[in-house]
């Protein structure tokens, strides 16, 4: 089964009244939420949605990359089986700017392709398209945390989407709606934790010292920390990956740092460089996404790559 993405016109100058579209979604697919098996984990860090690239083009079409992994996972599931859920993570700097003035959370000017309202509208349309495609085959949990570019926008978007999917029989769950048996977050909402079997994922943007972040795990989600035998801390922020270990499955394309029993993984960005990143050599991100197959007991057992 091939899932086709609905075309979206990013060049439209008319701003629809998107506020009226953000209402609870009704989903009718019958299912029984599974608690065992394997999960497909798709991390997206530093998407910078709404950014104008250094060559004048718009940002990478992230939806096609997500759908590419979903299509491959369906084949994987038919051949090997056991996938019963997708975890889609937005790990900060999902949006290129934070508010109507077009700058980061601290006010640094950005190169953008549209006004704030149009950016939000375009993202929500893309998001709904992705969700509608994924739930044809899987249950879906979504985590959204903020970054240094989009602190207020991401926190607001997470709350909005949590309400948007609050009436769909738990088929789609966003942040706190996932439930405290599987999900926890810091008081500020800048760090999130997800427990899958014996595997604990910590999600943070990457602009805080990893030693402090490691110590935070034991305080912010003590019960998860005790229950897990594999702990991964995923972060982005720097837009690139570093080769550290070539033989460790799941980390051969990224930096691997182990500290106090926690494995830290620096995730790259699929966003093409704007002029600032190009001038300062903040380059080296990948033009593909990865989807990790996480087994409840064995941890990461396979990796899927988008086209």
């Amino acid at each position: 089964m091939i899932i086709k993405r609905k075309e979206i016109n990013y060049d439209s100058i008319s701003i629809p009244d998107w506020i009226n579209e953000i209402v609870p979604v009704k989903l009718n697919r019958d299912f029984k939420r599974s608690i065992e098996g394997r999960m497909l984990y798709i991390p997206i860090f530093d998407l910078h949605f709404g950014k104008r690239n250094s060559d004048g083009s718009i940002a990478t079409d992230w939806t096609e990359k997500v759908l590419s992994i979903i299509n491959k996972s369906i084949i994987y599931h038919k051949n090997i089986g056991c996938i019963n859920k997708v975890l889609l993570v937005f790990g900060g700097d999902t949006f290129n700017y934070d508010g109507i003035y077009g700058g980061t959370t601290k006010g640094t000017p950005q190169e953008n392709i549209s006004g704030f309202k149009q950016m939000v509208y375009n993202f929500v349309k893309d998001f709904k398209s992705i969700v509608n495609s994924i739930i044809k085959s899987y249950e879906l949990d979504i985590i959204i945390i903020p970054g240094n570019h989009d602190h207020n926008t991401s926190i607001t978007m997470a709350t909005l989407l949590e309400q948007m999917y609050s009436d769909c029989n738990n088929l789609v769950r966003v942040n706190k709606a996932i439930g405290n048996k599987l999900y926890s977050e810091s008081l500020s909402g800048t760090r999130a934790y997800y427990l899958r079997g014996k595997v604990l994922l910590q999600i943070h943007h990457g602009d805080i010292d990893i030693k402090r972040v490691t110590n935070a795990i034991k305080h912010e989600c003590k019960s998860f920390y005790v229950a897990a035998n594999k702990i991964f801390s995923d972060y982005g922020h720097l837009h690139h990956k570093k080769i550290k270990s070539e033989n460790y499955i799941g980390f051969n394309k990224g930096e691997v740092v182990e500290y106090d029993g926690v494995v830290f993984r620096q995730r790259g960005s699929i966003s093409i460089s704007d002029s600032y990143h190009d001038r300062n050599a903040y380059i080296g991100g990948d033009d593909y996404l990865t989807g990790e197959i996480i087994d409840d007991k064995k941890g990461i057992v396979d990796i899927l790559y988008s086209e």
Side-chain angles (χ1 to χ4, degrees):
M1 179 177 68
I2 302 299
I3 302 172
K4 294 184 178 180
R5 173 181 177 270
K6 182 179 179 181
E7 292 297 322
I8 298 173
N9 180 14
Y10 284 96
D11 298 323
S12 174
I13 60 174
S14 62
I15 310 296
D17 187 7
W18 59 270
I19 292 292
N20 292 330
E21 296 188 17
I22 310 306
V23 295
V25 176
K26 298 284 187 179
L27 300 174
N28 298 318
R29 202 193 89 179
D30 293 329
F31 78 103
K32 181 178 181 181
R33 182 165 284 279
S34 303
I35 59 174
E36 296 182 352
R38 292 180 175 180
M39 176 182 74
L40 174 63
Y41 166 45
I42 306 177
I44 304 176
F45 285 80
D46 299 282
L47 177 61
H48 288 275
F49 191 87
K51 178 176 73 174
R52 185 179 299 280
N53 299 323
S54 57
D55 61 0
S57 63
I58 65 173
T60 303
D61 190 341
W62 66 281
T63 58
E64 291 188 356
K65 298 183 185 303
V66 172
L67 293 181
S68 173
I69 292 178
I70 295 300
N71 286 329
K72 290 182 178 182
S73 74
I74 292 172
I75 298 173
Y76 180 98
H77 180 74
K78 288 181 177 179
N79 292 336
I80 301 177
C82 299
I83 298 177
N84 54 35
K85 182 189 294 184
V86 170
L87 173 63
L88 183 62
V89 166
F90 294 90
D93 284 3
T94 300
F95 302 94
N96 194 48
Y97 58 101
D98 203 17
I100 62 174
Y101 298 107
T104 64
T105 302
K106 292 186 177 180
T108 304
Q110 298 297 301
E111 301 170 44
N112 309 308
I113 62 173
S114 69
F116 182 75
K117 186 175 181 179
Q118 185 69 54
M119 178 187 71
V120 172
Y121 175 74
N122 289 341
F123 180 82
V124 171
K125 289 191 71 175
D126 273 2
F127 186 90
K128 290 171 67 176
S129 173
I130 286 294
V131 168
N132 291 338
S133 297
I134 291 176
I135 62 173
K136 292 177 182 178
S137 304
Y138 303 115
E139 305 160 14
L140 176 61
D141 285 346
I142 301 163
I143 294 176
I144 303 174
I145 65 165
N148 57 296
H149 273 243
D150 66 346
H151 187 275
N152 300 319
T153 304
S154 276
I155 288 180
T156 302
M157 182 62 68
T159 303
L160 180 151
L161 294 173
E162 182 180 333
Q163 293 301 314
M164 181 174 167
Y165 291 99
S166 63
D167 192 22
C168 62
N169 195 28
N170 284 331
L171 182 56
V172 180
R173 307 184 298 187
V174 181
N175 282 18
K176 292 181 180 179
I178 295 172
N180 58 17
K181 291 184 178 180
L182 300 177
Y183 177 84
S184 177
E185 64 182 36
S186 62
L187 292 175
S188 63
T190 56
R191 291 176 298 280
Y193 303 91
Y194 190 94
L195 184 66
R196 173 72 182 192
K198 294 292 185 179
V199 179
L200 174 59
L201 297 171
Q202 181 194 49
I203 310 298
H204 59 108
H205 186 55
D207 46 353
I208 299 176
D209 181 78
I210 63 172
K211 292 183 179 179
R212 297 208 308 272
V213 171
T214 300
N215 291 331
I217 298 177
K218 305 168 188 177
H219 298 282
E220 293 174 338
C221 60
K222 184 177 180 180
S223 61
F224 290 5
Y225 183 82
V226 172
N229 58 23
K230 296 178 177 64
I231 304 175
F232 302 110
S233 182
D234 284 3
Y235 65 101
H237 186 51
L238 298 179
H239 287 216
H240 63 275
K241 295 181 178 180
K242 297 178 182 178
I243 297 176
K244 187 75 174 182
S245 172
E246 296 182 355
N247 300 316
Y248 195 172
I249 185 168
F251 316 120
N252 58 311
K253 295 293 184 180
E255 181 186 35
V256 179
V257 176
E258 188 275 331
Y259 178 78
D260 199 20
V262 179
V263 176
F264 286 80
R265 304 187 291 176
Q266 180 181 309
R267 298 288 188 173
S269 169
I270 60 172
S271 175
I272 300 175
S273 299
D274 58 20
S275 58
Y276 171 82
H277 289 96
D278 186 66
R279 286 194 307 271
N280 293 279
Y282 290 120
I283 57 178
D286 298 317
D287 60 354
Y288 59 84
L289 286 176
T290 58
E292 297 176 349
I293 309 296
I294 298 181
D295 185 87
D296 288 358
K297 298 179 180 179
K298 299 178 181 179
I300 300 168
V301 295
D302 215 337
I303 306 175
L304 304 177
Y305 295 90
S306 69
E307 298 298 335

